Amino acid sequence: GGVAPPGGNPILVQAEMVAGAGSSSAERTVKKRRRLEKTTVTTRWACPREIFSSGKGPAQPVADCSKCNGAGCSMDVYTSATPAEEFVFITDRNEKFNKYMCKVCGDIFSGTQSRIVSHRLKVSGRGVIPCPIDPSEEVKAVLGPLEAELLSKHNWTDRKKKGDDKKKDASDKNRARFAEEADVAVARFFYECGVPLNKAEHPALLRMLSAVAAAGDRYQSPSQFRIADNTPAQKPNDGRAPKAGGGEKA
């Protein structure tokens, strides 16, 4: 017996009474039944959507919905079972994944509570598109602790840091190897062409190396004829007038 409260579920009320007696199995029954409760909501996101998205988020509801005249259509959703679910409509539930619809942007995605946290806090790289709407202070207050818990549980911060460190180490090693190979190549040029070693710090050489580096790795050394067409007297490359007698001393 007993009278259920207005709009209540007699079976759910009875289960809750049993749960109060300290039965863990009854508590699980209450939670399961609560997860499966449904309610009807009215929202513009239930209206038919435009065919194409504006590019700034999910497709918007049609402006002239014939079903509701812009007041919002109705749809059946599951009741929220966690604080995070208060920020979405739960359109489908199953044992592993749920189907959600964001209340502020209308995006539809599947997953667990972590997807809600990542979506509403605009965290990318977790299998869900970040919400285009900035989270309010209420959203941050509720989902912030859950985000911290997720970071600790999945070790996402450490994994990202380790990945960044690994890339940096590889980049540093490559840079050191390329620098060593460049030093050897410059030295071979000096020795094989009989260029005096005291010219290693000559301004003309330093300008040449800077220009080659700026030109990129596809730059090809010019031919003797190309060099002849670019004498300092014809095309000064540093804005200074060439010295009398043609160019700089080698």
Side-chain angles (χ1 to χ4, degrees), residues 72-158:
C73 289
S74 299
M75 67 176 179
D76 293 334
V77 298
Y78 291 89
T79 55
S80 302
T82 66
E85 289 184 347
E86 293 291 339
F87 302 109
V88 296
F89 297 119
I90 305 100
T91 59
D92 190 21
R93 278 199 190 280
N94 57 52
E95 293 297 327
K96 294 184 178 180
F97 296 101
N98 301 322
K99 191 173 183 180
Y100 303 117
M101 178 188 293
C102 180
K103 289 183 177 181
V104 295
C105 77
D107 192 22
I108 299 172
F109 54 94
S110 299
T112 59
Q113 176 176 272
S114 62
R115 293 280 176 89
I116 302 175
V117 176
S118 300
H119 174 74
R120 287 299 285 117
L121 293 183
K122 308 181 74 168
V123 181
S124 59
R126 296 187 189 168
V128 63
I129 298 174
C131 184
I133 309 299
D134 290 334
S136 63
E137 293 303 318
E138 178 189 4
V139 172
K140 292 178 182 178
V142 175
L143 301 186
L146 297 177
E147 168 67 5
E149 182 180 339
L150 288 172
L151 290 175
S152 175
K153 179 179 179 181
H154 295 286
N155 207 20
W156 280 331
T157 302
D158 289 345

Side-chain angles (χ1 to χ4, degrees), residues 11-27 29-30:
I11 298 178
L12 178 60
V13 172
Q14 184 179 4
E16 288 176 335
M17 292 174 63
V18 174
S23 171
S24 59
S25 61
E27 291 176 358
T29 300
V30 169

